[in-house]
Amino acid sequence: MLCATVLAPLVEIIPVAGVIGVLILIAVNTFAWGTFKLFLKVNWTDSVVVIVVMLMTLWYDVAVAVLVGVIVNGLGFAWAIATEARVETEAGVDTRTFHLIGPLFFGSAKNYQNEMSPQLITESRVVLDFSKCRILDISGVNAINQMRDLFISQKKQVFLKGVPRDVFSFLPKDAEYETLRSKGTVLQA
């Protein structure tokens, strides 16, 4: 306010090109140029987030850029976590056990389903073991239900092992659970 009222005659003397030059130098010196060197060292999702936020800030608005950056980073995180989930198979005399290791949620549910092929399983009993798995959302529960139904349609007896109590209410009432007593669940056959 002081510049606009008292110093107005003095500010009129300063050329606009000089003010623009000062602003450009401030922008160039303020930008963290070392960020570009980090692109080779960090994972690709962080690099994409930095570039997207920078471009959104230039073209639109800082607040929108931060929101878009959070969304892109969240999707990148979900993708990275989804790729960590894996299925290990153990074949017994008449039982095939599938151990899901890692999180089961919307990002990993399809990979989980693709890992098992009921047509190739000769055993009559199938155990879906979730004791080393965290079921994070309803998509994970739906993947369990779909695989269970697919195995049953192939005339397999399906047991669910290590299913957390909070997931029971989302599973069919006729599902057979083979779980550990120490975790507060019961063995049903």
Side-chain angles (χ1 to χ4, degrees), residues 89-120:
T89 305
E90 179 184 323
V93 177
D94 196 32
T95 303
R96 174 76 59 105
T97 303
F98 292 98
H99 303 276
L100 181 64
I101 300 169
L104 182 57
F105 66 112
F106 71 91
S108 63
K110 199 66 179 167
N111 293 342
Y112 162 70
Q113 291 173 313
N114 291 339
E115 289 285 325
M116 293 179 271
S117 180
Q119 297 81 5
L120 301 177

Side-chain angles (χ1 to χ4, degrees), residues 11-188:
V11 172
E12 288 177 357
I13 299 172
I14 301 172
V16 174
V19 174
I20 291 173
V22 169
L23 288 175
I24 289 174
L25 281 175
I26 289 172
V28 167
N29 290 330
T30 304
F31 189 78
W33 295 102
T35 304
F36 293 116
K37 292 178 186 175
L38 289 175
F39 285 163
L40 301 174
K41 297 178 183 175
V42 298
N43 62 19
W44 67 271
T45 55
D46 291 341
S47 300
V48 168
V49 169
V50 168
I51 291 170
V52 166
V53 169
M54 182 177 60
L55 293 176
M56 289 293 295
T57 301
L58 292 174
W59 284 328
Y60 197 69
D61 187 358
V62 174
V64 173
V66 169
L67 180 65
V68 169
V70 167
I71 292 170
V72 170
N73 196 24
L75 291 173
F77 177 75
W79 181 81
I81 294 299
T83 58
E84 289 180 9
R86 65 185 196 281
V87 177
E88 293 180 356
T89 305
E90 179 184 323
V93 177
D94 196 32
T95 303
R96 174 76 59 105
T97 303
F98 292 98
H99 303 276
L100 181 64
I101 300 169
L104 182 57
F105 66 112
F106 71 91
S108 63
K110 199 66 179 167
N111 293 342
Y112 162 70
Q113 291 173 313
N114 291 339
E115 289 285 325
M116 293 179 271
S117 180
Q119 297 81 5
L120 301 177
I121 298 172
T122 59
E123 295 85 0
S124 62
R125 289 175 39 124
V126 174
V127 177
L128 302 177
D129 186 358
F130 300 98
S131 55
K132 294 180 182 174
C133 169
R134 289 187 55 207
I135 302 165
L136 300 177
D137 65 4
I138 197 68
S139 299
V141 175
N142 287 339
I144 294 170
N145 285 332
Q146 289 173 359
M147 287 311 299
R148 179 184 169 275
D149 292 343
L150 191 59
F151 281 121
I152 289 173
S153 71
Q154 296 291 318
K155 308 293 187 235
K156 309 289 183 198
Q157 186 180 14
V158 181
F159 291 93
L160 303 176
K161 181 178 179 181
V163 177
R165 276 209 180 274
D166 57 340
V167 177
F168 284 162
S169 61
F170 299 105
L171 295 173
K173 300 294 181 211
D174 64 340
E176 298 187 56
Y177 304 104
E178 181 183 316
T179 54
L180 301 174
R181 288 186 181 275
S182 62
K183 297 210 177 195
T185 54
V186 293
L187 177 65
Q188 296 180 358

